[in-house]
Amino acid sequence: MAHDGNLDVLVVCGSLRKRSYNAALARMLPKLAPPAMKLRTAPPFDQIPHYNHDIQDSTGFPPEVTTFAEAIRSADGVIIVSPEYNWSIPGALKNAIDWVSRMKDQPFKDKPVALQSCAGGVLGGARMQYHLRQSLISVDAILFGRPEILVTFSAKKFDEKTLELTDQPTIDIVTQQLAAFEKFMRRVNGQ
Ligand SMILES: Cc1cc2nc3c(=O)[nH]c(=O)nc-3n(C[C@H](O)[C@H](O)[C@H](O)COP(=O)(O)O)c2cc1C
């Protein structure tokens, strides 16, 4: 955790693909964040095995899980930027949450978390966000409310070649969310 007035925020991207719109939005966040918000990218979680209690019992938590959990634990807050898959949370992201949920020193406990999603369609990943909210409440995270970031028709909001976010209303609302999330984190963390 930062002790210099800055806030250390972990950014988790739920898409694993190279030309992901969600990853493109995640890359844009440092430009839009208030000065005291320092963003860092979460360690990879795509190599974490499918959750199986037998693995946990026999060899303990895989190193990728421990690293991912420690990154969450040490942050002042977390921003999850994720697509919606079949009306819900992408499997790799849900698997990572399932693994860390089994840890005694629960990484998400009392952690401020904000959500963002980019989707191809009209709902902007809303159904994924509702499911993610439920899962994160089950691990005692503290969910940020509004403004919500639901980027609809993503292909029209990012530059086709550079994948830079070009849609001004989206830039504005993301900027507003980050400013509000800073205040929320300070309130939750008692700063
Ligand atoms: C397996 C799969 C399931 C999808 N299901 C949904 C869905 O339920 N709702 C939706 O809005 N888009 C859905 N999409 C389309 C995604 O919104 C779109 O591919 C988006 O760009 C993926 O995010 P990314 O660019 O960050 O990888 C799905 C895509 C995939 C690959």
Side-chain angles (χ1 to χ4, degrees):
M1 293 216 182
H3 296 287
D4 50 5
N6 288 332
L7 292 163
D8 171 27
V9 177
L10 188 76
V11 180
V12 178
C13 179
S15 175
L16 306 178
R17 77 184 185 102
K18 281 195 192 111
R19 289 188 56 80
S20 155
Y21 293 116
N22 286 278
L25 176 57
R27 282 195 298 275
M28 185 84 182
L29 299 183
K31 263 194 206 169
L32 308 181
M37 193 185 279
K38 306 298 174 195
L39 299 152
R40 66 183 153 106
T41 305
F45 53 84
D46 56 320
Q47 296 302 315
I48 297 176
H50 293 159
Y51 180 79
N52 180 339
H53 205 307
D54 295 343
I55 300 177
Q56 190 186 326
D57 279 347
S58 58
T59 51
F61 290 97
E64 298 91 344
V65 175
T66 310
T67 305
F68 187 65
E70 189 43 44
I72 297 166
R73 222 177 259 129
S74 62
D76 293 305
V78 177
I79 299 175
I80 301 179
V81 191
S82 177
E84 174 176 294
Y85 281 177
N86 300 310
W87 297 16
S88 193
I89 306 164
L93 175 61
K94 180 62 164 54
N95 185 50
I97 293 170
D98 289 343
W99 268 108
V100 301
S101 75
R102 299 296 91 196
M103 295 185 136
K104 278 213 175 83
D105 181 10
Q106 175 45 245
F108 277 112
K109 185 171 169 43
D110 297 333
K111 195 67 64 184
V113 181
L115 307 181
Q116 302 179 351
S117 51
C118 301
V122 69
L123 291 182
R127 292 163 295 206
M128 180 285 299
Q129 288 204 19
Y130 298 146
H131 289 183
L132 194 48
R133 267 177 200 280
Q134 289 171 1
S135 289
L136 291 171
I137 283 173
S138 90
V139 289
D140 292 330
I142 302 183
L143 274 296
F144 173 82
R146 285 185 294 175
E148 295 173 290
I149 304 300
L150 300 154
V151 183
T152 58
F153 303 113
S154 295
K156 294 182 183 162
K157 312 279 169 71
F158 293 83
D159 183 274
E160 203 181 324
K161 282 201 180 115
T162 64
L163 284 179
E164 182 139 353
L165 179 63
T166 51
D167 183 65
Q168 195 57 45
T170 305
I171 290 172
D172 293 345
I173 192 82
V174 171
T175 306
Q176 285 168 31
Q177 193 209 48
L178 295 174
F181 188 48
E182 175 183 0
K183 288 189 186 143
F184 179 82
M185 278 189 293
R186 291 197 191 282
R187 215 164 56 233
V188 172
N189 294 332
Q191 292 177 16

